[in-house]
Each structure stands twice: as C-alpha cells, then as structure tokens.
Amino acid sequence: MYPSEKVLEIKHPVIARDLTILRDKNTSTAVFRLALGRISTILAYNALKNIPLRDFIVETPIKNTTGYEIDAEIVVIPILRAGLGLVDAITTFIPDARVGHLGMYRDEVTKKPVDYYVNIPNGIENALVLVVDPMLATGGSACDAISFLKSKGAKNIRFICLISAPEGIDKVLNDHPDVSIITASVDECLNENKYIVPGLGDAGDRIYGTT
Ligand code: PRP
Ligand code: URA
C-alpha cells in the first residue's frame, strides 16, 4: 500500500467495469475509446480535487451570493502517443487548459524511452502540470518526462495514468518524491518484456488500432 497523498488509486464500480473492457483483448477500438474516455474523466476529476479557488460575488436572479472560479493555471502534457487519449478528460473540466506535447516511445529492445518531439507552452513554472499517459510500466517514460519538465521550470506536477505497475510507481516516487500519481489500478508486476501484468497490452496500439 502506498500513502494516498502519493498514490491515489481510484476505486469505483464504473472504473472496475471499464477497466475490464480495456483489459479484454476482444474489445473493439470504438468500445475501447469510450471506456478510456470515461475512466480518464473520473481520473481527471480526482486529480483536480484540491486545486485552488478564488471567490467573488455572483448575482443570481434572486440575490448576490459567493461564486467561485479556479485560481490556477493548468497545463496538460500528454506523453505521445497514447497520452493523447487522456487530454479531452482534462479539457472537459478546464476548457482553457494549455496543452504541451512530449513525444516519447519505448525502444523495443532496450525498453528505454526515446524522445522525438517536444512542444511545451511557456509559463509552466507557475502552473499545475498534469502529465498524462495511460501506462506507467518501468517508469522510464514518466521519469524522463517529469525530469524534462522540471528542467523547464515546472514545480507542481501530478502524473495521471490508467494502469500502473509497482515498479513504475516506485521509480517515480524515488526519483520525484514531490510528484503524486493518480491511477485507476495498481497492477501486479511487469513481465519479461516489461509489459504490465495483467495490464491491457500496448495502450497506443489499442487506442489507435495499429496492431
Ligand atoms: C507506452 C506508454 C508509456 C510507456 C510506458 O508508450 O504509453 O509512454 O510505454 O512504459 P515505461 O513506463 O516502461 O516507460 P509506447 O512506448 O508504447 O509509445 P506509444 O504511446 O507511441 O505507443
Ligand atoms: N506500454 C504499454 O503500452 N503497455 C505496457 O504494458 C507497458 C508499456
């Protein structure tokens, strides 16, 4: 068990049902995307739980009362390509969130992340930066992404993923103890090919139908 302020594993019947859809190798791309969208929305909602609010007076048709607006700059950073599948979940709640992109793939032999594209918005120093990727396996991609964003000045980072392996969680907590993880499942382990067990297979291939 991890401390919940470090690793928030969201338990919910809808998540249990949708994770099953995602894990099922016979699920079609269309149905996979719908389940991914639902789970991502629940994760995003929870990842935004304690963001700061600013109060102001709002005039209802009846009287003035206290209203609230979000008092935080939110930047979303999907790790391409699979991370793109989680962006809409954040912008559902924060329509003006800015979106940066980090292109990274795991080399099939070394299993180490390889960078191929970077486009990060200005101003991440003062933003809540939500790094999104469906899978946290060895933690190599997540840790490289987080280190890179810190080198660009990011100070407040949360990592959102659908499925995580203990190995990846341990690496993120060890390398970046200031970063919290929001996940729908902490799975059992990694296999000999560094895939998450039981996992869902290759997230990018399943989202984009590229098997
Ligand atoms: C997957 C996944 C993560 C990474 C996780 O991406 O989306 O980015 O692997 O593995 P790690 O924790 O061991 O680094 P992949 O390399 O398959 O690229 P893709 O998104 O382009 O399919
Ligand atoms: N990347 C994936 O897409 N799935 C895994 O299980 C591990 C890394």
Side-chain angles (χ1 to χ4, degrees):
M1 280 292 283
Y2 298 96
S4 61
E5 70 279 8
K6 295 276 183 195
V7 180
L8 185 60
E9 186 182 10
I10 310 293
K11 300 280 189 192
H12 191 286
V14 170
I15 287 195
R17 189 268 321 266
D18 282 342
L19 272 176
T20 307
I21 292 172
L22 296 178
R23 292 188 195 282
D24 185 343
K25 66 177 189 181
N26 295 314
T27 296
S28 69
T29 305
V31 173
F32 189 95
R33 288 176 182 157
L34 289 172
L36 172 72
R38 287 190 295 267
I39 295 193
S40 307
T41 306
I42 298 173
L43 293 177
Y45 174 81
N46 280 280
L48 295 167
K49 222 172 203 167
N50 52 4
I51 54 173
L53 290 174
R54 184 168 38 229
D55 58 15
F56 65 102
I57 299 300
V58 62
E59 196 180 338
T60 83
I62 311 299
K63 73 177 286 250
N64 284 355
T65 189
T66 306
Y68 302 92
E69 59 188 2
I70 290 169
D71 190 17
E73 168 86 12
I74 313 269
V75 170
V76 192
I77 308 284
I79 300 179
L80 307 183
R81 77 194 145 138
L84 285 174
L86 285 85
V87 172
D88 288 354
I90 312 289
T91 56
T92 294
F93 296 116
I94 313 288
D96 63 348
R98 290 185 298 148
V99 182
H101 295 87
L102 269 184
M104 243 177 219
Y105 67 89
R106 266 192 353 171
D107 182 274
E108 287 191 1
V109 177
T110 66
K111 311 298 179 196
K112 302 271 184 233
V114 180
D115 307 347
Y116 62 88
Y117 182 75
V118 175
N119 190 332
I120 304 298
N122 291 328
I124 60 168
E125 302 88 332
N126 303 314
L128 168 60
V129 179
L130 301 174
V131 182
V132 297
D133 191 327
M135 309 304 273
L136 176 60
T138 65
S141 307
C143 285
D144 274 19
I146 293 165
S147 296
F148 175 76
L149 293 166
K150 285 184 174 176
S151 78
K152 296 290 170 197
K155 297 182 196 70
N156 186 6
I157 301 176
R158 297 177 192 176
F159 185 81
I160 305 176
C161 59
L162 262 63
I163 297 185
S164 47
E167 292 88 335
I169 292 177
D170 292 343
K171 182 166 172 57
V172 172
L173 296 187
N174 183 62
D175 293 7
H176 299 287
D178 54 311
V179 173
S180 57
I181 298 168
I182 299 93
T183 185
S185 178
V186 180
D187 272 13
E188 291 164 23
C189 58
L190 299 178
N191 68 11
E192 61 283 5
N193 293 318
K194 308 288 184 201
Y195 272 79
I196 300 177
V197 179
L200 52 72
D202 186 305
D205 283 347
R206 301 217 47 207
I207 297 170
Y208 298 110
T210 47
T211 45

